[in-house]
Amino acid sequence: MLRTHNNGELRLSNVGQTVTLCGWVQRTRDKGGMIWVDLRDRFGITQLMLEEGQSSKEALATTRSLGREFVVSATGTVVERLSKNDKIPTGDVEVKIDTITILNPAKLPPFLIEDITDGGDDLRMKYRYLDLRRNPVRENLILRHKMAQQVRSYLDSQNFIEVETPVLIKSTPEGARDFVVPSRMNPGEFYALPQSPQTFKQLLMVSGFDRYFQIVKCFRDEDLRADRQPEFTQIDCEMSFVEQEDVLQLFEGLIRHLFKTIKGIDLPELTRMTYAHAMKYYGSDKPDIRFGMQFVELKSEEVDLTSGKGFPVFDGASTVVGINAKGCADYTRKQVDELTEFVKRPQIGAKGLVYLRCMADGSLKSSIDKFYSPEDLKTWAEAFGAEPGDLMLILCGEGDKARKQLNDLRLEMGNRLGLRDPEKFAAHWVIDFPLFEYGEEDDRWFAMHHPFTSPKPEDIQFLESGDFGKIRANAYDMVINGVEIGGGSIRIFQKDLQAKMFEALGFSDEEAKHQFGFLMDAFEYGAPPHGGLAFGFDRICSLFGGSDSIRDFIAFPKNNSGRDVMIDAPSSIDAKQMDELKIKTVL
Amino acid sequence: MLRTHNNGELRLSNVGQTVTLCGWVQRTRDKGGMIWVDLRDRFGITQLMLEEGQSSKEALATTRSLGREFVVSATGTVVERLSKNDKIPTGDVEVKIDTITILNPAKLPPFLIEDITDGGDDLRMKYRYLDLRRNPVRENLILRHKMAQQVRSYLDSQNFIEVETPVLIKSTPEGARDFVVPSRMNPGEFYALPQSPQTFKQLLMVSGFDRYFQIVKCFRDEDLRADRQPEFTQIDCEMSFVEQEDVLQLFEGLIRHLFKTIKGIDLPELTRMTYAHAMKYYGSDKPDIRFGMQFVELKSEEVDLTSGKGFPVFDGASTVVGINAKGCADYTRKQVDELTEFVKRPQIGAKGLVYLRCMADGSLKSSIDKFYSPEDLKTWAEAFGAEPGDLMLILCGEGDKARKQLNDLRLEMGNRLGLRDPEKFAAHWVIDFPLFEYGEEDDRWFAMHHPFTSPKPEDIQFLESGDFGKIRANAYDMVINGVEIGGGSIRIFQKDLQAKMFEALGFSDEEAKHQFGFLMDAFEYGAPPHGGLAFGFDRICSLFGGSDSIRDFIAFPKNNSGRDVMIDAPSSIDAKQMDELKIKTVL
């Protein structure tokens, strides 16, 4: 080793020892008679010290020539510091330097290598290898490493086997977002990169592996919204001879294990909420339940407190629904206008916002006073359980569309009221997802999860009767703080049921065979009941790290155009290479 | 859970309990009055029992309808067996069945799901999901899982951080064997799949990660020889502020940890051998040192015991070299002919084989007696340290070419003499590899390892003087039982030395910049001294599993044409998909 210690380990107990340290120059302070150097590595910072008259001329000269981020090796004696630094673990000591060697000089980095840097996003991405030197970024990746170790440790203890499934697989006609890979040895043919190892993990159940997992890269060639990556990592799991309850229990155990071992938090047992409940009371299939503020319906299929009073906007809407922002009655006109602008943004698309204030004296004021009597407003306030000081925010529109808009407003109010502390964690399961969803554009039913998801036994009748919208699936998502971190389902393992499912999805026998042939074949040789789920590993890491961005938890992420700006990929390739692959580009 | 126990856990202590088991029907034996079913899952086999007159008619009828590999659930009482089976851990008990349910019927598998199967390679590959049901295949993958867990555990304990590097990277002009991936979002441009994460791990060292590892898929689009796969898995590692000795020590520690934890073997400290020694005495850079049989030179640059006696074959060769096959003097004419045929096979390419027998009475007999006197033969026998009963096998030719032929013969003799027991392990380092090798075809020097490998300090003079062939590198391979399981090097981290290296390799500044630009840039911002290595994980698993074939240790391997015959990949893709990717095939 070129060092005797790293820069995080020297303590008072080392005083008097001769040590050699290596690392990067964080900063130097030259006070004429004394020079101090902060030497940094992954493990910490140690202060080096040289003294005019005591240290060698050579060492002094070398030290005076150091620039930021130079790589050096320094040998000297550990001494107790006169003025201790209690902010760093090595702050009680410094190293009085005898010799110092520049292992490698460094150009001045284009931004500060400090916890708070002056580098913008683009610059830091281009020089990602320098950004990774900063503590917060490195800490994120160390967190990721620890999370992966703990995931493996827990699943191993539960008899799961990690199996690597192939990366070069087969493209399916459905796989419009597959990345494909031309094969040189099989001209004109292509592999595809997996969007998930779904079929392979089901095959492993057919193989009797019983419990499988994998922390695995997956790929999707889709237009990237903020915080999506063309390659991402899943914790992929599958179990045999289980029912939904077993899967929920086991993976609730995983997430609680992670909270305990990584963050020292005893996460309470996860609550459960049906999809129908989540949509009705939160307008979202991944509600943030760190705070209440559940939806109250003023008009819906079940209730109508708004119609026939001459307010055409509410009369023309099927749904009028609102939230009670406790204690916000004193919001100014400007604040309410801001909220109105917020819901009218194109991303949300509401037409307007109606408010109802419950004043300190219990009186009610609304933006639509002229249509509704005080008695009308009182019935609303009662529905909201309004107390003096509360502000009701009300949207209208068509069913789930209006609810989704209100979901955005609810989350915004949660933010404004400080109800979404990233260091507080509320985890729950959303269950009983619909089996199908209707695609308006294509005018057909699609599998909400995937075509192998099993219906609830009591809803299979609707598969026969064609009431596809009524069928609930044995499908579940884990949601933490309003983020869906994982989801899965119990699979169909019976050939007959699978055939009915394909029929409902409008697949001919032939199409089903073409797309899923080898899996269908495999299922004929004795498929066990099985189910599983997959977690978004990047997402869990960012949640544990208290960040909204998965990019901060990926060593070398790509930007929104799918580019790695550091290595400049993708890029054009040689004509010769294309010739060998028997392809050409058509631009 | 659909079961109370798995099929590997019932013991005498469970007698009297009511249990539910699930699994696959291994076999049924119907003796009229009694029926037994062997029920199998990943954990073992448990015997079910039904009795005419005692068991329900329904259960008896269901059981009689079972076929091989049917998936069933069965509930009953654990009873002590009359005739115990000491070959399986559950052999003391059986389960007297009350109810049995067919969860899924199964078509008859195309081959026997037994340890010894009647299925050929092709059939088992097509139905890999059935082959994976067989114990030996599943055990291989469980071994692989355990190995990966132990690798991670050891490296984590040594302060290594596992970092996922990207799979979608940049193709380099050198990357003739890159798989490429067209980018839909960046028409005309391609990602490449990594042949190794080499540049990224070096960037992580520049980032100060200090110790990195990853168990990672790598990809190479090359013509597949037996036992190569287009996607394969590496244990990839890199460390900062280290010298060669540190890397050797640390990864010797890893391999000894694996032998201890996986196989319960205390592997001795690894010996070391220079590349020059390995080539001279074994004709191979990965000698199998489970046995001796080192080469003895009769003619080389240093010795000549063969010339000028009128044997034109030896006279015309620069090298005459042989091995002493102890105790083989009684080989028959037929056996010697077999060996001659062996070395004359085109894969080996020797012109012929000369032998020298040391008879029981100490007399010497050779196939070329007529050219050499008994005194000549005696000098040979002395060189070989021959004792009565020994058989010397001698080849001639040009230097390393002849030695490589003799290496094949040595290994063959090792096999014949039972000196290569797969359950014995001899591990060592081969060090001091040449930095360059000369490419006859291209008439230029190539980096033997890669262009970032550092020369030994004492040999840098030859870089200046142009004696490229004389330069030894800080490069090393770990060899176990004649298999190279890993290798690496200390890297160049100094800009000037790297420039000289590129010059020697015939790269212009521009070419170097184009190919390795971002790494070269990164090195200017303070690169630490660093080095590392990569192990072939598939290979290590097969070595530990006592097999020659890595394919047995990959869940879903591809065949020699790079095809996955189970899923039928690669395959053609939709014209629409190609349009979106702006590519077309040119066949």
Side-chain angles (χ1 to χ4, degrees), chain B residues 185-222:
Chain B
M185 283 206 287
N186 303 275
E189 297 191 325
F190 295 78
Y191 301 100
L193 304 182
Q195 298 190 30
S196 91
Q198 184 66 32
T199 46
F200 289 97
K201 71 175 174 178
Q202 293 194 246
L203 287 175
L204 286 171
M205 294 303 105
V206 174
S207 299
F209 271 60
D210 211 277
R211 294 183 168 201
Y212 142 92
F213 84 102
Q214 191 181 187
I215 300 183
V216 60
K217 276 276 173 75
C218 301
F219 306 88
R220 206 170 294 151
D221 189 8
E222 64 189 346

Side-chain angles (χ1 to χ4, degrees), chain A residues 448-489:
Chain A
M448 195 163 191
H449 193 57
H450 58 59
F452 308 107
T453 301
S454 68
K456 293 216 166 280
E458 60 268 35
D459 291 355
I460 290 183
Q461 48 169 323
F462 303 121
L463 193 57
E464 323 255 344
S465 67
D467 285 332
F468 297 148
K470 284 192 184 165
I471 309 173
R472 291 163 305 158
N474 284 318
Y476 32 79
D477 279 355
M478 190 188 285
V479 177
I480 303 184
N481 293 3
V483 177
E484 183 228 310
I485 61 157
S489 66

Side-chain angles (χ1 to χ4, degrees), chain A residues 28 82 120 209 214 241 259 271 291 311 372 379 396 498 516-517 557:
Chain A
T28 56
L82 288 175
F209 271 61
Q214 190 181 188
F241 302 116
F259 270 102
T271 55
F291 64 108
F311 183 46
Y372 294 97
T379 62
C396 69
Q498 188 67 61
F516 304 108

Side-chain angles (χ1 to χ4, degrees), chain B residues 367-383:
Chain B
S367 48
I368 46 175
D369 284 350
K370 63 175 166 178
F371 299 106
Y372 294 98
S373 67
E375 288 67 37
D376 294 332
L377 297 182
K378 196 156 170 250
T379 63
W380 298 7
E382 279 167 10

Side-chain angles (χ1 to χ4, degrees), chain B residues 45-57:
Chain B
I45 282 180
T46 301
Q47 181 166 289
L48 313 181
M49 180 264 283
L50 296 93
E51 200 168 348
E52 199 74 58
Q54 294 217 10
S55 307
S56 74
K57 286 208 169 116

Side-chain angles (χ1 to χ4, degrees), chain B residues 288-293 324-326 410-422 424 481:
Chain B
D288 183 348
I289 58 166
R290 276 173 297 185
F291 63 109
M293 214 185 278
N324 180 349
K326 301 294 290 179
R410 174 178 175 271
L411 295 176
E412 171 67 14
M413 290 310 298
N415 287 335
R416 287 178 177 238
L417 296 173
L419 303 171
R420 304 184 72 196
D421 178 356
K424 271 180 108 175
N481 292 4

Side-chain angles (χ1 to χ4, degrees), chain B residues 3-212:
Chain B
R3 64 189 174 205
T4 58
H5 296 75
N6 66 46
N7 290 317
E9 58 183 325
L10 293 180
R11 298 289 184 276
L12 278 177
S13 58
N14 300 102
V15 165
Q17 291 178 9
T18 300
V19 299
T20 300
L21 302 179
C22 292
W24 287 261
V25 173
Q26 182 78 17
R27 67 178 66 80
T28 56
R29 275 156 298 149
D30 189 347
K31 301 285 183 191
M34 303 277 279
I35 314 177
W36 289 275
V37 180
D38 281 354
L39 193 65
R40 188 197 69 233
D41 64 14
R42 177 184 127 201
F43 304 95
I45 282 180
T46 301
Q47 181 166 289
L48 313 181
M49 180 264 283
L50 296 93
E51 200 168 348
E52 199 74 58
Q54 294 217 10
S55 307
S56 74
K57 286 208 169 116
E58 202 188 337
L60 286 162
T62 301
T63 305
R64 290 208 160 96
S65 75
L66 297 177
R68 276 209 284 139
E69 301 302 318
F70 275 41
V71 185
V72 304
S73 161
T75 301
T77 310
V78 184
V79 297
E80 185 169 358
R81 275 209 219 182
L82 288 177
S83 64
K84 299 196 168 52
N85 176 353
D86 60 8
K87 285 186 194 127
I88 56 173
T90 63
D92 287 347
V93 297
E94 58 191 352
V95 180
K96 195 170 173 182
I97 294 307
D98 298 320
T99 59
I100 183 162
T101 309
I102 297 174
L103 297 173
N104 222 347
K107 291 204 298 198
L108 195 69
F111 51 86
L112 282 172
I113 311 295
E114 304 274 2
D115 290 7
I116 307 294
T117 181
D118 55 351
D121 266 6
D122 291 349
L123 198 63
R124 288 188 293 115
M125 288 294 283
K126 181 164 158 53
Y127 295 93
R128 181 68 171 173
Y129 48 87
L130 295 178
D131 201 30
L132 287 170
R133 278 189 196 163
R134 300 195 305 115
N135 290 326
V137 186
R138 194 183 52 245
E139 290 304 327
N140 287 346
L141 291 164
I142 292 177
L143 172 74
R144 186 181 176 112
H145 163 68
K146 287 184 184 158
M147 300 270 293
Q149 289 276 103
Q150 288 299 338
V151 167
R152 289 191 163 99
S153 158
Y154 175 83
L155 291 174
D156 183 61
S157 78
Q158 299 291 324
N159 266 323
F160 282 75
I161 301 173
E162 186 162 24
V163 179
E164 294 173 56
T165 54
V167 176
L168 298 172
I169 65 165
K170 185 190 175 81
S171 190
T172 58
E174 218 186 31
R177 291 299 167 256
D178 282 346
F179 283 107
V180 298
V181 183
S183 166
R184 196 174 50 85
M185 283 206 287
N186 303 275
E189 297 191 325
F190 295 78
Y191 301 100
L193 304 182
Q195 298 190 30
S196 91
Q198 184 66 32
T199 46
F200 289 97
K201 71 175 174 178
Q202 293 194 246
L203 287 175
L204 286 171
M205 294 303 105
V206 174
S207 299
F209 271 60
D210 211 277
R211 294 183 168 201
Y212 142 92

